[in-house]
Amino acid sequence: MLDSTLIDKVTQIAHQAGEAIMEIYQRDFAVYEKSDESPLTEADLAAHNCIVNGLQAISDLPILSEESANIPWSERQTWDKYWLVDPLDGTKEFIKKNGEFTVNIALIDKGEPVFGVVFAPVLKQTYVGVLGQGAYKLEGDNRTAISPKIKSEDEEWRVVGSRSHQSPDIQALLAKLGGEPELVAMGSSLKLCLVAEGAAHLYPRLGPTSEWDTGAADAVVRAAGGKVTIIESATNVFDEHAKPLSYNQKESVLNPYFLVSC
Protein backbone atom coordinates (compact mmCIF):
# COMPACT_ATOMS: atom_id res chain seq x y z
CA MET A 1 0.00 0.00 0.00
CA LEU A 2 1.52 3.29 -1.12
CA ASP A 3 1.13 6.17 1.30
CA SER A 4 -1.37 8.81 0.12
CA THR A 5 0.94 11.59 1.30
CA LEU A 6 3.69 10.36 -1.04
CA ILE A 7 1.21 10.11 -3.91
CA ASP A 8 0.10 13.71 -3.32
CA LYS A 9 3.68 15.00 -3.02
CA VAL A 10 4.81 13.36 -6.27
CA THR A 11 1.70 14.67 -8.03
CA GLN A 12 2.54 18.15 -6.75
CA ILE A 13 6.12 17.80 -8.02
CA ALA A 14 4.77 16.91 -11.47
CA HIS A 15 2.51 19.97 -11.39
CA GLN A 16 5.42 22.21 -10.37
CA ALA A 17 7.48 20.86 -13.26
CA GLY A 18 4.52 21.58 -15.54
CA GLU A 19 4.43 25.18 -14.33
CA ALA A 20 8.14 25.53 -15.11
CA ILE A 21 7.49 24.16 -18.60
CA MET A 22 4.57 26.53 -19.20
CA GLU A 23 6.66 29.58 -18.34
CA ILE A 24 8.93 28.68 -21.24
CA TYR A 25 6.13 27.41 -23.51
CA GLN A 26 4.49 30.84 -23.49
CA ARG A 27 7.56 32.60 -24.84
CA ASP A 28 10.29 32.00 -27.40
CA PHE A 29 12.67 29.24 -26.37
CA ALA A 30 15.92 27.72 -27.54
CA VAL A 31 15.99 24.25 -29.11
CA TYR A 32 19.15 22.14 -29.00
CA GLU A 33 20.04 18.84 -30.62
CA LYS A 34 21.03 15.90 -28.44
CA SER A 35 23.59 13.27 -29.43
CA ASP A 36 20.82 11.07 -30.85
CA GLU A 37 19.59 14.06 -32.93
CA SER A 38 16.37 14.34 -30.94
CA PRO A 39 15.39 17.85 -29.84
CA LEU A 40 16.03 19.25 -26.37
CA THR A 41 14.61 22.52 -25.06
CA GLU A 42 15.12 24.77 -22.07
CA ALA A 43 11.84 23.34 -20.77
CA ASP A 44 13.20 19.77 -20.61
CA LEU A 45 16.04 20.92 -18.39
CA ALA A 46 13.88 23.18 -16.22
CA ALA A 47 11.41 20.34 -15.60
CA HIS A 48 14.25 17.88 -14.96
CA ASN A 49 15.79 20.10 -12.28
CA CYS A 50 12.41 20.70 -10.67
CA ILE A 51 11.58 16.99 -10.49
CA VAL A 52 15.00 15.82 -9.31
CA ASN A 53 15.14 18.45 -6.56
CA GLY A 54 11.58 17.62 -5.54
CA LEU A 55 12.11 13.86 -5.39
CA GLN A 56 15.40 14.18 -3.53
CA ALA A 57 13.61 16.23 -0.88
CA ILE A 58 11.13 13.42 -0.14
CA SER A 59 12.99 10.22 -1.05
CA ASP A 60 16.43 8.60 -0.89
CA LEU A 61 15.77 6.40 -3.92
CA PRO A 62 17.96 6.77 -7.04
CA ILE A 63 16.57 8.67 -10.02
CA LEU A 64 16.91 7.82 -13.71
CA SER A 65 15.82 10.73 -15.90
CA GLU A 66 16.03 11.15 -19.65
CA GLU A 67 18.16 14.22 -19.02
CA SER A 68 20.60 12.34 -16.75
CA ALA A 69 20.57 8.94 -18.42
CA ASN A 70 24.33 8.29 -18.49
CA ILE A 71 24.28 6.22 -15.29
CA PRO A 72 26.30 3.04 -15.99
CA TRP A 73 24.58 -0.34 -16.04
CA SER A 74 26.96 -1.56 -13.34
CA GLU A 75 25.29 0.91 -10.99
CA ARG A 76 21.72 0.66 -12.30
CA GLN A 77 21.57 -3.11 -12.02
CA THR A 78 21.94 -2.84 -8.25
CA TRP A 79 18.68 -0.87 -8.01
CA ASP A 80 15.61 -2.73 -6.75
CA LYS A 81 13.50 0.41 -6.51
CA TYR A 82 14.02 3.77 -8.22
CA TRP A 83 12.30 6.78 -9.77
CA LEU A 84 12.03 6.81 -13.57
CA VAL A 85 11.45 10.27 -15.02
CA ASP A 86 10.74 11.86 -18.37
CA PRO A 87 10.58 15.58 -17.55
CA LEU A 88 8.99 16.45 -20.89
CA ASP A 89 7.71 13.65 -23.06
CA GLY A 90 6.66 14.82 -26.51
CA THR A 91 9.30 17.49 -27.08
CA LYS A 92 8.32 17.59 -30.75
CA GLU A 93 4.73 18.31 -29.70
CA PHE A 94 6.04 21.02 -27.37
CA ILE A 95 7.97 22.66 -30.20
CA LYS A 96 4.89 22.47 -32.45
CA LYS A 97 2.88 23.99 -29.57
CA ASN A 98 -0.02 21.56 -29.95
CA GLY A 99 -0.26 20.92 -26.21
CA GLU A 100 0.20 17.13 -26.40
CA PHE A 101 3.20 16.77 -24.11
CA THR A 102 3.53 15.45 -20.58
CA VAL A 103 5.52 15.35 -17.36
CA ASN A 104 6.16 11.76 -16.29
CA ILE A 105 7.25 10.35 -12.93
CA ALA A 106 7.21 6.61 -12.20
CA LEU A 107 8.23 4.43 -9.28
CA ILE A 108 9.76 1.16 -10.45
CA ASP A 109 10.00 -1.80 -8.07
CA LYS A 110 11.91 -4.91 -9.19
CA GLY A 111 11.34 -4.08 -12.85
CA GLU A 112 7.62 -3.30 -12.51
CA PRO A 113 6.01 0.16 -12.63
CA VAL A 114 4.00 0.37 -9.40
CA PHE A 115 3.16 4.08 -9.29
CA GLY A 116 2.95 6.71 -11.99
CA VAL A 117 1.95 10.33 -12.49
CA VAL A 118 1.40 11.76 -15.97
CA PHE A 119 0.62 15.48 -16.19
CA ALA A 120 -0.35 17.34 -19.37
CA PRO A 121 0.17 21.03 -18.46
CA VAL A 122 -1.65 22.60 -21.42
CA LEU A 123 -4.62 20.24 -21.17
CA LYS A 124 -4.63 20.56 -17.35
CA GLN A 125 -5.08 16.80 -17.05
CA THR A 126 -3.31 14.53 -14.58
CA TYR A 127 -3.35 10.74 -14.61
CA VAL A 128 -2.33 8.90 -11.43
CA GLY A 129 -2.04 5.14 -11.00
CA VAL A 130 -0.97 2.97 -8.08
CA LEU A 131 -0.76 -0.77 -8.68
CA GLY A 132 -3.30 -2.54 -6.51
CA GLN A 133 -4.96 0.75 -5.54
CA GLY A 134 -6.50 1.85 -8.85
CA ALA A 135 -6.08 4.80 -11.21
CA TYR A 136 -7.77 8.15 -11.60
CA LYS A 137 -7.79 11.32 -13.67
CA LEU A 138 -7.63 14.82 -12.21
CA GLU A 139 -9.15 17.80 -14.04
CA GLY A 140 -9.22 20.83 -11.78
CA ASP A 141 -10.97 19.76 -8.59
CA ASN A 142 -12.59 16.78 -10.29
CA ARG A 143 -11.18 13.32 -9.60
CA THR A 144 -12.54 10.47 -11.71
CA ALA A 145 -11.65 6.78 -11.45
CA ILE A 146 -10.57 5.35 -14.80
CA SER A 147 -10.48 1.90 -16.37
CA PRO A 148 -9.92 0.47 -19.87
CA LYS A 149 -12.85 -0.31 -22.15
CA ILE A 150 -13.48 -3.76 -23.61
CA LYS A 151 -14.54 -3.50 -27.25
CA SER A 152 -18.13 -4.59 -27.83
CA GLU A 153 -19.16 -6.49 -30.96
CA ASP A 154 -21.18 -3.59 -32.38
CA GLU A 155 -18.43 -0.97 -32.29
CA GLU A 156 -15.33 -0.36 -34.37
CA TRP A 157 -11.83 -0.55 -32.96
CA ARG A 158 -10.36 2.74 -31.70
CA VAL A 159 -6.59 2.50 -32.07
CA VAL A 160 -4.17 5.11 -30.77
CA GLY A 161 -1.32 6.11 -33.05
CA SER A 162 1.55 8.54 -32.78
CA ARG A 163 1.21 12.02 -34.24
CA SER A 164 4.96 12.32 -34.84
CA HIS A 165 6.06 8.71 -35.41
CA GLN A 166 3.81 6.82 -37.83
CA SER A 167 4.88 3.27 -38.65
CA PRO A 168 3.97 1.45 -41.87
CA ASP A 169 3.17 -1.59 -39.71
CA ILE A 170 0.24 0.32 -38.17
CA GLN A 171 -1.69 0.29 -41.46
CA ALA A 172 -1.15 -3.47 -41.74
CA LEU A 173 -2.41 -3.89 -38.18
CA LEU A 174 -5.53 -1.80 -38.85
CA ALA A 175 -6.29 -3.93 -41.91
CA LYS A 176 -5.88 -7.09 -39.81
CA LEU A 177 -8.41 -5.86 -37.23
CA GLY A 178 -11.16 -5.80 -39.83
CA GLY A 179 -14.09 -3.43 -40.10
CA GLU A 180 -13.27 0.25 -40.25
CA PRO A 181 -11.00 0.92 -37.27
CA GLU A 182 -10.52 4.52 -36.22
CA LEU A 183 -6.95 5.76 -35.75
CA VAL A 184 -6.75 8.31 -32.94
CA ALA A 185 -3.62 10.45 -33.34
CA MET A 186 -2.00 11.63 -30.12
CA GLY A 187 1.43 12.71 -28.93
CA SER A 188 3.55 11.66 -25.94
CA SER A 189 2.59 9.25 -23.15
CA LEU A 190 -1.01 10.42 -23.43
CA LYS A 191 -1.42 7.56 -25.92
CA LEU A 192 -1.19 4.99 -23.13
CA CYS A 193 -3.48 7.07 -20.92
CA LEU A 194 -6.21 7.05 -23.58
CA VAL A 195 -6.37 3.27 -23.30
CA ALA A 196 -6.20 3.45 -19.49
CA GLU A 197 -9.29 5.68 -19.37
CA GLY A 198 -11.26 3.76 -22.00
CA ALA A 199 -11.06 6.42 -24.73
CA ALA A 200 -9.38 3.89 -27.05
CA HIS A 201 -9.14 0.11 -27.16
CA LEU A 202 -5.54 -0.41 -28.29
CA TYR A 203 -2.20 1.32 -28.58
CA PRO A 204 0.31 -0.77 -30.56
CA ARG A 205 3.80 0.70 -30.48
CA LEU A 206 5.76 -0.62 -33.45
CA GLY A 207 8.58 1.90 -33.22
CA PRO A 208 11.39 2.91 -30.86
CA THR A 209 10.79 4.20 -27.32
CA SER A 210 12.87 4.38 -24.16
CA GLU A 211 11.87 3.21 -20.71
CA TRP A 212 11.32 6.75 -19.41
CA ASP A 213 8.85 7.36 -22.26
CA THR A 214 6.51 4.69 -20.92
CA GLY A 215 7.16 4.08 -17.21
CA ALA A 216 4.66 6.49 -15.64
CA ALA A 217 1.83 5.88 -18.12
CA ASP A 218 2.50 2.13 -17.98
CA ALA A 219 1.88 2.31 -14.22
CA VAL A 220 -1.38 4.16 -14.86
CA VAL A 221 -2.50 1.52 -17.38
CA ARG A 222 -1.73 -1.40 -15.08
CA ALA A 223 -3.30 0.29 -12.05
CA ALA A 224 -6.43 0.94 -14.13
CA GLY A 225 -6.67 -2.74 -15.02
CA GLY A 226 -5.02 -2.72 -18.45
CA LYS A 227 -1.94 -4.44 -19.87
CA VAL A 228 1.29 -3.34 -21.53
CA THR A 229 2.79 -6.41 -23.20
CA ILE A 230 5.77 -7.06 -25.42
CA ILE A 231 5.21 -7.59 -29.14
CA GLU A 232 7.66 -10.23 -30.38
CA SER A 233 6.55 -9.84 -34.01
CA ALA A 234 4.75 -7.08 -35.89
CA THR A 235 2.58 -9.80 -37.47
CA ASN A 236 1.48 -11.22 -34.10
CA VAL A 237 0.53 -8.41 -31.75
CA PHE A 238 -2.23 -10.35 -29.95
CA ASP A 239 -0.10 -13.06 -28.35
CA GLU A 240 -1.95 -14.35 -25.28
CA HIS A 241 1.38 -15.49 -23.82
CA ALA A 242 3.06 -12.10 -24.24
CA LYS A 243 5.16 -10.89 -21.33
CA PRO A 244 4.63 -7.52 -19.67
CA LEU A 245 7.03 -4.69 -20.41
CA SER A 246 9.81 -4.60 -17.78
CA TYR A 247 12.20 -1.89 -16.62
CA ASN A 248 15.91 -1.73 -15.78
CA GLN A 249 16.39 -5.42 -16.53
CA LYS A 250 19.09 -4.92 -19.17
CA GLU A 251 21.87 -2.52 -20.09
CA SER A 252 19.89 -0.84 -22.87
CA VAL A 253 17.03 1.46 -21.85
CA LEU A 254 15.27 0.95 -25.20
CA ASN A 255 11.87 -0.75 -25.07
CA PRO A 256 10.85 -3.60 -27.36
CA TYR A 257 7.67 -3.12 -29.39
CA PHE A 258 4.61 -3.30 -27.15
CA LEU A 259 0.82 -3.34 -27.08
CA VAL A 260 -1.39 -1.44 -24.64
CA SER A 261 -4.75 -3.13 -24.21
CA CYS A 262 -7.45 -3.98 -21.68
Side-chain angles (χ1 to χ4, degrees), residues 4 16 22 49 54 80 85 89 91 109 120 125 146 161 166 236:
S4 61
Q16 290 169 346
M22 290 306 295
N49 292 331
D80 279 339
V85 174
D89 184 41
T91 304
D109 189 356
Q125 296 175 348
I146 60 173
Q166 279 295 352
N236 183 21

Side-chain angles (χ1 to χ4, degrees), residues 70 129 169 172:
N70 57 348
D169 292 323

Side-chain angles (χ1 to χ4, degrees), residues 201-229:
H201 302 112
L202 301 172
Y203 167 38
R205 181 64 189 207
L206 303 172
T209 57
S210 296
E211 292 181 4
W212 46 72
D213 294 320
T214 58
D218 187 344
V220 172
V221 171
R222 297 190 201 199
K227 299 182 294 184
V228 182
T229 51

Side-chain angles (χ1 to χ4, degrees), residues 189-251:
S189 59
L190 289 169
K191 294 188 287 293
L192 289 90
C193 295
L194 288 182
V195 177
E197 67 177 329
H201 302 112
L202 301 172
Y203 167 38
R205 181 64 189 207
L206 303 172
T209 57
S210 296
E211 292 181 4
W212 46 72
D213 294 320
T214 58
D218 187 344
V220 172
V221 171
R222 297 190 201 199
K227 299 182 294 184
V228 182
T229 51
I230 295 171
I231 295 174
E232 298 290 355
S233 165
T235 59
N236 183 21
V237 297
F238 299 109
D239 182 358
E240 61 182 24
H241 302 296
K243 297 178 181 178
L245 209 58
S246 61
Y247 295 81
N248 200 43
Q249 301 300 296
K250 60 188 189 309
E251 183 170 3

